[in-house]
């Protein structure tokens, strides 16, 4: 979008959230409110983006990364003041300024584009995005004259009882011709109920100056602002529905979208089936033909094709094709499962690299371990990786057989094809092909019961 820049207002306190966290950093669908707005601007094709941050959101740059410019508004004196701060940061080439609020995460790129195009078509000084809503409370109301032309915006706290009945609201999204914006911002005065510099007053000033104002309407499912925790619930619901719809359209089966929670950046391959109470978060990528859930949470995971995971939590790990996990497993960061690994019930893995076709079927803890291919780890096996000071590694060679209830006291290496006897506490390396048994010999006393009873 040639000549178009965006200014995103994100310096407000967000009093109505009653939170120590700045409003625009509250998350929906796994990402801060403001980052959804930045995404929408990018989707619209806008390259030049300036974010106005406040005292409390100064660290926004660290969270959102480069790619945007940031300007500081020391004190939240109002949306008009925030835009004024941003102007000096804009490049010469920017002739049209899209203004977005950092608290409208539902807005789509296509709608921003439409607003830009409609302003151009109407040769208007400004285009305002509005919505008709059932409950307009909290929003600025759009004022129109008898011909239906927009003449201004009145904030709720300054509105008369009649104006409060107006159901067409200001969404806080606009496109201004830069020169018109500059001229009117200079005229703002904080003479209103909130004692703030209202950006919305610019619209009235432009009308007075006989400039053209155009309005474009969008449904509230796209324009709703988040001011309270309740608004956050609404935004979350809409975004979640969108994520599920996107996956349904691309060939994923979701048994119950109402009970499935998928973050925005998550990718899922076709013919994967997602059962209820499954949560896919962060940068998770899932392959084709998998069965996820019920009751599964994946955070920042890479999952191959034909993988089954039920009632389990997997974090920061990578699972190869045809792995089977759960029910009731916990796979922690740094774990890498090759193809066809089976991780059964009540198993915890941490930073475990496990070779193709190996099995950890029941009740084990395998941490800081490198396990070869075709290994069987018996029920109740524990890698004793922590000596109270540091962590140590366990290495298990291909086709080794770890007997049930083995304690592997790390650092320790089990050679290829080696076997440990059930119940052994292994503290020394076991050579390839060897059997290591570490337990007292069994004592059998014949007829002991009878003798005792006598
Ligand atoms: C604003 C509009 C209102 C509109 C509503 C839509 C004004 C005066 N009012 O009201 O007409 O219906 O948005 O959601 O513009 N911000 C700053 N610096 C400040 C104040 C605010 O950066 O000094 C940022 C906030 O972080 C927020 C955005 O601007 O992202 C909007 O501020 P907010 O306080 O939510 O304004 P509303 O009262 O919702
Ligand atoms: Mg708001």
């Amino acid at each position: 979008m040639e000549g178009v820049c965006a200014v995103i207002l994100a310096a407000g306190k967000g009093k109505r959230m009653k939170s120590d966290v700045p409003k625009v950093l509250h998350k929906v669908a796994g990402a801060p409110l403001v980052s959804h707005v930045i995404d929408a601007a990018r989707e619209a094709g806008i390259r030049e983006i300036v974010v106005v941050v406040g005292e409390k959101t100064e660290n926004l740059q660290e969270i959102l990364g480069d790619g945007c410019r940031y300007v500081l508004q020391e004190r939240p004196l109002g949306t008009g003041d925030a835009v004024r701060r941003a102007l000096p940061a804009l490049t010469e080439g920017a002739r049209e300024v899209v203004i977005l609020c950092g608290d409208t995460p539902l807005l789509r790129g296509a709608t921003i584009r439409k607003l830009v195009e409609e302003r151009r078509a109407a040769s208007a000084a400004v285009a305002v995005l509005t919505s008709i809503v059932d409950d307009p409370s909290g929003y600025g109301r759009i004022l129109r004259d008898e011909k239906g032309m927009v003449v201004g915006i009145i904030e709720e706290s300054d509105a008369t009882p009649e104006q409060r009945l107006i159901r067409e609201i200001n969404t806080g999204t606009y496109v201004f011709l830069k020169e018109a914006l500059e001229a009117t911002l200079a005229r703002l005065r904080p003479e209103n109920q909130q004692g703030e510099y209202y950006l919305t007053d610019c619209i009235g000033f432009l009308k007075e100056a006989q400039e053209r104002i155009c309005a474009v309407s969008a449904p509230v499912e796209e324009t709703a602002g988040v001011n309270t925790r309740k608004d956050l619930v609404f935004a979350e619901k809409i975004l979640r529905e969108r994520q599920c719809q996107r996956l349904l359209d691309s060939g994923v089966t979701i048994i119950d979208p109402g009970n499935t929670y998928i973050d925005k950046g998550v990718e899922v391959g076709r013919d994967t089936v997602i059962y209820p109470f499954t949560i896919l978060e962060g940068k998770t990528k899932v392959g084709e033909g998998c069965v996820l859930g019920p009751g599964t949470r994946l955070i920042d995971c890479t999952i191959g094709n034909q993988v089954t995971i039920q009632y389990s939590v997997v974090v920061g790990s990578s699972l190869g094709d045809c792995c089977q996990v759960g029910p009731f497993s916990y796979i922690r960061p740094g774990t890498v499962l090759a193809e066809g690994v089976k991780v059964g019930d009540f198993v915890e893995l941490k930073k475990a690299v496990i070779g193709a076709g190996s099995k950890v079927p029941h009740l084990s803890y395998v941490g800081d371990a490198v396990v070869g291919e075709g290994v069987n780890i018996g029920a109740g096996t524990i890698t004793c990786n922590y000596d109270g000071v540091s962590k140590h590694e366990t290495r298990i060679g291909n086709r080794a057989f770890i007997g049930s209830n083995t304690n592997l006291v790390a650092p320790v290496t089990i050679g290829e094809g080696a076997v440990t006897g059930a119940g052994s506490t292994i503290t020394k390396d076991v050579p390839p092909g060897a059997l290591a048994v570490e337990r007292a010999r069994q004592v059998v006393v014949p007829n002991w019961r009878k003798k005792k009873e006598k």
Side-chain angles (χ1 to χ4, degrees):
M1 282 212 139
E2 199 58 32
V4 182
C5 68
V7 172
I8 300 177
L9 309 184
K13 280 196 292 252
K15 289 174 222 143
R16 289 163 279 181
M17 293 296 280
K18 303 198 172 72
S19 173
D20 295 331
V21 178
K23 177 169 73 176
V24 296
L25 292 181
H26 280 263
K27 288 184 176 181
V28 285
L33 294 174
V34 62
S35 63
H36 292 278
V37 181
I38 293 174
D39 289 350
R42 293 224 172 96
E43 258 169 58
I46 300 172
R47 296 283 149 264
E48 182 177 343
I49 300 174
V50 174
V51 184
V52 182
V53 300
E55 202 187 19
K56 288 207 169 147
T57 46
E58 256 184 296
N59 66 340
L60 213 64
Q61 187 157 5
E62 287 155 40
I63 296 166
L64 302 175
D66 303 330
C68 298
R69 251 171 291 138
Y70 297 85
V71 296
L72 179 66
Q73 182 196 26
E74 288 95 357
R75 282 184 299 145
L77 299 176
T79 47
D81 180 70
V83 174
R84 200 153 54 192
R85 305 274 154 176
L87 286 183
L90 302 179
T91 62
E92 283 292 308
R95 293 182 307 280
E96 296 160 83
V97 186
V98 173
I99 296 185
L100 304 166
C101 290
D103 64 353
T104 52
L106 301 174
L107 195 64
R108 291 177 201 258
T111 304
I112 298 175
R113 237 172 200 287
K114 187 169 172 220
L115 196 65
V116 170
E117 281 156 11
E118 298 262 328
R119 191 209 61 77
R120 287 177 179 176
S123 305
V126 61
V128 186
L129 188 69
T130 74
S131 276
I132 311 278
V133 298
D134 292 333
D135 175 14
S137 52
Y139 289 103
R141 312 293 205 276
I142 302 293
L143 304 177
R144 290 180 184 260
D145 64 14
E146 60 286 350
K147 289 194 204 119
M149 304 303 284
V150 175
V151 294
I153 298 172
I154 184 90
E155 288 307 292
E156 176 162 274
S157 50
D158 304 296
T160 63
E162 295 79 59
Q163 287 171 329
R164 287 187 190 205
L165 297 175
I166 298 171
R167 287 172 46 231
E168 185 181 17
I169 57 111
N170 169 30
T171 65
T173 304
Y174 326 76
V175 189
F176 282 89
L177 264 186
K178 190 158 96 187
E179 42 199 57
L181 180 63
E182 281 167 339
T184 45
L185 278 178
R187 293 183 52 194
L188 294 183
R189 297 288 172 268
E191 284 148 15
N192 49 55
Q193 283 296 326
Q194 303 188 73
E196 290 184 358
Y197 293 90
Y198 286 168
L199 178 62
T200 44
D201 287 346
C202 291
I203 309 300
F205 291 146
L206 288 170
K207 184 69 203 172
E208 280 170 26
Q210 325 255 310
E211 295 280 2
R212 270 188 223 166
I213 296 164
C214 95
V216 173
S217 189
V220 69
E221 285 75 16
E222 249 202 76
T223 61
V226 173
N227 295 310
T228 63
R229 305 272 178 169
K230 194 178 167 206
D231 297 338
L232 210 52
V233 175
F234 179 75
E236 180 75 50
K237 179 172 174 281
I238 302 283
L239 282 177
R240 195 194 303 150
E241 279 168 10
R242 273 192 213 166
Q243 295 321 311
C244 286
Q245 193 56 54
R246 172 176 65 91
L247 295 181
L248 293 170
D249 290 344
S250 70
V252 175
T253 294
I254 301 176
I255 304 293
D256 181 5
N259 286 300
T260 305
Y261 308 83
I262 298 171
D263 280 0
K264 199 173 176 185
V266 170
E267 291 170 30
V268 182
R270 59 197 287 162
D271 290 324
T272 285
V273 179
I274 304 177
Y275 281 87
F277 310 112
T278 293
I279 309 172
L280 308 180
E281 294 178 60
K283 298 184 174 65
T284 295
K285 276 199 178 83
V286 178
E288 299 182 358
C290 296
V291 180
L292 304 181
T296 288
R297 184 175 190 194
L298 308 182
I299 306 173
D300 296 329
C301 289
T302 304
I303 310 292
N305 301 321
Q306 317 289 335
V307 173
T308 304
I309 309 175
Q310 49 176 328
Y311 292 112
S312 292
V313 177
V314 188
V315 185
S317 294
S318 156
L319 278 57
D321 293 347
C322 303
C323 285
Q324 275 171 269
V325 174
F328 315 113
S329 287
Y330 180 23
I331 300 185
R332 293 166 51 198
T335 296
V336 179
L337 306 184
E339 257 179 60
V341 171
K342 181 176 191 268
V343 176
D345 50 285
F346 306 106
V347 170
E348 177 175 342
L349 305 180
K350 187 215 86 175
K351 230 172 152 185
V353 178
I354 301 188
S358 290
K359 294 178 186 164
V360 194
H362 346 260
L363 300 151
S364 292
Y365 171 62
V366 178
D368 300 302
V370 179
V371 178
E373 297 176 2
V375 171
N376 189 82
I377 296 191
T381 294
I382 303 291
T383 53
C384 311
N385 59 332
Y386 186 49
D387 58 13
V389 181
S390 26
K391 303 279 167 66
H392 301 282
E393 198 175 72
T394 299
R395 302 187 79 87
I396 302 176
N398 295 340
R399 290 176 312 284
F401 183 95
I402 308 299
S404 294
N405 241 355
T406 298
N407 297 313
L408 297 161
V409 181
V412 70
T413 298
I414 310 298
E416 242 186 79
V419 175
T420 68
S424 298
T425 294
I426 304 295
T427 53
K428 294 186 202 116
D429 289 355
V430 181
L435 166 68
V437 187
E438 187 282 337
R439 63 184 184 225
R441 278 187 186 278
Q442 185 169 329
V443 175
V444 178
V445 182
N447 299 320
W448 184 79
R449 177 89 183 243
K450 249 189 194 161
K451 283 181 205 158
K452 199 184 170 208
E453 278 164 0
K454 264 186 198 159

